[in-house]
Structure formats: C-alpha cells, structure tokens
Amino acid sequence: MTITGQDPEAIRVLQGLEDGRSSVRLRSALAVGTTPDPGFVGKLVERCAIEPEFFVRDMLTWALTRHPVSMTLPELLREVRSERTQARSQALHTLSKIGDRQAWPAITRTLLCDADDEVARTAWRAAVVLVPEGEESALATVLVTQLGRGERETQLSLSRALVALGEVIVPALRSATTARDPRMRAHALATQRLLRDPDTGFEFAIEEAKRVVALGGSGREGQ
C-alpha cells in the first residue's frame, strides 16, 4: 500500500493500526476516518480481517465509510469471498453500513447459509439493508431455510431480519410452520408472532411456539 506523498504523519497513523495496544489502534482508526486518504483503504480492510477488539473493528468500519464507495466497494467485495470468517463477517458489516446496493449481487445464498453463525448473521443484516425493491420475497425464501439454526442469539438475528422485510415473508413463514424439523416450526411460529406483534419479546414468543409444537400444533389452527 502506498500513502499519497509518503506523508510521515499518515505512515505513523497506519503503523498505529498494528500497535499492540488497542487504545492506540482505536485512535489510529479514528484519525484515518477523520482525514480520509485513498491510501488508507487497503490497510483498513486488511486490519478488519484480523482486529481482535470489537470497538476497534467498529471504528475501522466507520473509517471505511468515510472513503469514496468507488474505492472501498471493490476491496470489500473481494473480502466477502475470503476464507477467513472474520474477513467475511466484517466486510459484510461494512457493506451494510455503506448501504450501496451495488453490493447486492455479492450477498449470495452461500453467504446467507454460511456455516459460521457470525458470518450468516451479518449476511442476513446486510441483505435486509441492500436488497433491491422487488427482491424481498426471494430473499425471504432463502432466509426461512435457516430457521431453527443455532442458539438464541442467532435465531433472534434471523427473526429480526425476516420481520424487517415486512409482510412479504408471510407465505414463506407459513410454509415453514409445517416443516418436519420441530426447531424450524417453532422458530417460524415465533417469527410470525413477532411480525404480528413487534412488542412481543423473543423469549416469550419462542417459548410459546415451542409449547405449540410440543402439543402437535402448527399455530394455524385458529387462523
């Protein structure tokens, strides 16, 4: 990576991104975002893939959003195909913050069904932000295939993503309530409840849905 004019201050800031102290890395990321420079982009993306601290990663993402999309988008689109799970996850997170729908083709079924829960959750959130008008139903069809996976945090993330798509999810959810997998059925029922009543807590909705499934119901008997 080449810094414009090999500016000593810019070089110092970039070196700070690799400092062993998280506080120094955080300040360096803030400095990069405060004074954007095309030469920073590659290093920011590279650091996102390996940075261990959440708050520093979030600052790196903010710094990337401060740079032109024409420079950040190609780098991030390469990262979503990385073998490193954190690289994929952080690139997806950053794309969702940038919000440019040119990135939509990169949100593939493979990413939405990624074996790593963190990558999948980030892909779901990014997909809801980036999905073009008219593609919501197709996205919902893919997302419902993931119902029942993971622990509560993962299930809550998926329910939130589906509910954010609105009423277009109803047909796909209805089909999932009759799935053979009881975890999928319960998760579908809980998501239906959240769609109807957003103020319902997820814990209450999922426990209620599990009781319905345990009793052999689909949740559609009263509909």
Side-chain angles (χ1 to χ4, degrees):
M1 182 187 63
T2 303
I3 299 299
T4 304
Q6 292 294 308
D7 177 61
E9 177 62 16
I11 293 172
R12 185 189 67 79
V13 170
L14 288 171
Q15 289 174 339
L17 292 173
E18 298 181 343
D19 194 276
R21 296 160 293 180
S22 61
S23 60
V24 175
R25 299 196 303 276
L26 185 67
R27 287 197 301 271
S28 295
L30 175 61
V32 171
T34 302
T35 311
D37 186 300
F40 292 143
V41 172
K43 187 63 176 181
L44 290 171
V45 173
E46 175 187 311
R47 189 66 206 175
C48 280
I50 59 175
E51 171 56 49
E53 296 293 333
F54 169 79
F55 292 111
V56 180
R57 290 198 303 272
D58 222 35
M59 189 65 77
L60 291 167
T61 283
W62 172 78
L64 282 165
T65 67
R66 298 271 294 158
H67 289 78
V69 173
S70 61
M71 294 180 175
T72 58
L73 200 58
E75 296 271 1
L76 293 168
L77 294 181
R78 279 193 291 272
E79 285 293 280
V80 299
R81 300 190 294 272
S82 172
E83 293 184 1
R84 188 188 292 267
T85 56
Q86 184 172 304
R88 298 198 300 277
S89 177
Q90 198 64 25
L92 287 163
H93 174 66
T94 306
L95 287 171
S96 73
K97 292 299 183 182
I98 291 172
D100 193 306
R101 286 181 171 173
Q102 292 181 81
W104 170 247
I107 312 299
T108 62
R109 188 185 186 102
T110 298
L111 284 172
L112 294 170
C113 304
D114 198 284
D116 184 89
D117 283 347
E118 181 58 33
V119 175
R121 287 197 299 266
T122 313
W124 301 336
R125 291 192 292 268
V128 169
V129 171
L130 299 173
V131 62
E133 186 175 353
E135 296 287 334
E136 295 91 347
S137 293
L139 173 58
T141 299
V142 177
L143 292 182
V144 296
T145 67
Q146 302 302 292
L147 287 167
R149 75 173 278 179
E151 302 302 324
R152 287 295 166 86
E153 183 181 1
T154 298
Q155 294 186 7
L156 175 57
S157 290
L158 181 56
S159 289
R160 283 174 171 167
L162 283 164
V163 169
L165 292 174
E167 293 295 324
V168 298
I169 71 173
V170 170
L173 270 185
R174 185 180 298 120
S175 177
T177 62
T178 61
R180 295 180 62 183
D181 182 354
R183 281 172 59 89
M184 179 177 278
R185 292 204 306 275
H187 195 181
L189 289 170
T191 305
Q192 279 185 332
R193 176 66 182 267
L194 292 175
L195 180 64
R196 293 195 304 267
D197 183 6
D199 293 329
T200 300
F202 183 73
E203 284 295 325
F204 175 82
I206 195 70
E207 291 303 324
E208 180 183 69
K210 285 165 66 177
R211 285 193 293 272
V212 170
V213 170
L215 294 170
S218 66
R220 299 168 62 181
E221 292 80 0
Q223 298 180 15

